[in-house]
Amino acid sequence: MMRMNTTELSIIQLEGMLADRKKQEKARLARARLDYETERYTDITALTDEAATLHHMIARFKARVHTVMAMQAQKTAAYGLIPATSKGGFSLTNKTGNKRITRRRDTDPVWDERAVKAIGLIKDFLGDAVKKRDVKLFEILLSFLERNQNGDLEYARVFSLMQHENKFDDIRWTEGLRLLKESYSITLKGFAYDFKMKNEAGKWDRLELNFSSL
């Protein structure tokens, strides 16, 4: 293929060639963008439609599981096979011993308005009496009162704070912890379910079905 000698072309001809190249490049980019947007639309639409189908299937499945397990709870309780200490949670295993369903209580820890006063008393005591003599201990105890992203206290942290209850006898400390205990309660959101099957090694594998938010 012969190469064009651009030195022999006039400025007008060169400008015309450049304009044609720009037009071709613009058209190429437009086609590429259209292909990308078409493929994106197809993929996102297909995945979202599939997700919606799975969402409704899981919702229906959860409703069925809840109904069946509620009936099983009544039957199992009638045979005296649910411990008296159970608050609604129990496990059932099939006859061959390789499949199991566990129903467990799904709860949220809640602290009422008394927790605000309790935290104020505890922080006042920590800042006034503990920080001066042991900064590290002050920071550790204070960290137990940190709230999570939702603005709530976390049970595990508060429980850790309670482990230090007998370390101090200041009225602010003891009263703060008392109020914190009294302000605590749990709310039942419903029941969650775990499905397990034994693998070839005889160990339980959990079937991951995350529908706790449905």
Side-chain angles (χ1 to χ4, degrees), residues 1-213:
M1 184 175 179
M2 297 181 60
R3 298 177 63 88
M4 181 179 294
N5 186 356
T6 55
T7 58
E8 299 178 357
L9 299 177
S10 67
I11 294 178
I12 294 177
Q13 289 174 313
L14 289 173
E15 289 178 343
M17 289 178 60
L18 180 60
D20 288 339
R21 286 293 303 275
K22 286 182 177 180
K23 186 177 180 179
Q24 293 172 12
E25 179 64 12
K26 185 177 181 180
R28 186 190 69 79
L29 293 175
R31 287 194 302 270
R33 179 175 180 177
L34 180 61
D35 291 342
Y36 160 74
E37 292 179 346
T38 301
E39 184 178 359
R40 181 185 65 182
Y41 172 82
T42 301
D43 289 345
I44 298 304
T45 300
L47 289 175
T48 305
D49 288 345
E50 187 175 352
T53 299
L54 291 172
H55 171 85
H56 294 303
M57 288 177 61
I58 291 175
R60 288 195 299 271
F61 177 64
K62 182 180 181 181
R64 179 167 172 264
V65 169
H66 183 71
T67 300
V68 172
M69 292 299 285
M71 293 175 60
Q72 286 294 330
Q74 293 179 357
K75 295 176 182 178
T76 305
Y79 281 103
L81 299 178
I82 295 182
T85 55
S86 173
K87 295 182 179 180
F90 62 96
S91 293
L92 297 176
T93 305
N94 69 336
K95 189 174 181 179
T96 55
N98 64 347
K99 295 177 182 179
R100 176 178 294 170
I101 301 177
T102 299
R103 185 176 84 164
R104 52 186 171 79
R105 286 166 56 86
D106 193 6
T107 60
D108 271 338
V110 177
W111 282 269
D112 63 26
E113 68 282 352
R114 286 172 289 185
V116 176
K117 182 177 181 180
I119 292 173
L121 288 170
I122 294 171
K123 285 185 175 181
D124 183 59
F125 162 70
L126 293 176
D128 182 47
V130 179
K131 186 177 182 180
K132 295 178 182 178
R133 64 182 189 219
D134 193 335
V135 176
K136 188 173 182 179
L137 178 60
F138 164 78
E139 292 176 348
I140 291 174
L141 295 178
L142 194 63
S143 69
F144 295 145
L145 295 174
E146 291 180 0
R147 296 181 181 272
N148 58 27
Q149 293 181 344
N150 296 324
D152 300 320
L153 294 170
E154 294 191 2
Y155 175 80
R157 288 182 175 179
V158 175
F159 181 79
S160 296
L161 180 70
M162 296 296 181
Q163 303 307 299
H164 300 273
E165 182 175 7
N166 296 326
K167 281 190 175 181
F168 313 105
D169 57 6
D170 188 285
I171 186 63
R172 293 168 295 180
W173 174 256
T174 57
E175 181 68 6
L177 291 182
R178 183 187 69 81
L179 286 173
L180 202 55
K181 289 179 184 178
E182 291 182 359
S183 70
Y184 174 76
S185 64
I186 58 174
T187 58
L188 177 64
K189 295 193 297 182
F191 291 106
Y193 303 92
D194 292 330
F195 297 83
K196 296 180 180 179
M197 295 182 65
K198 277 189 178 180
N199 57 30
E200 294 179 355
K203 295 183 178 180
W204 290 106
D205 285 335
R206 181 176 177 177
L207 304 178
E208 295 297 341
L209 298 172
N210 184 11
F211 49 43
S212 59
S213 60

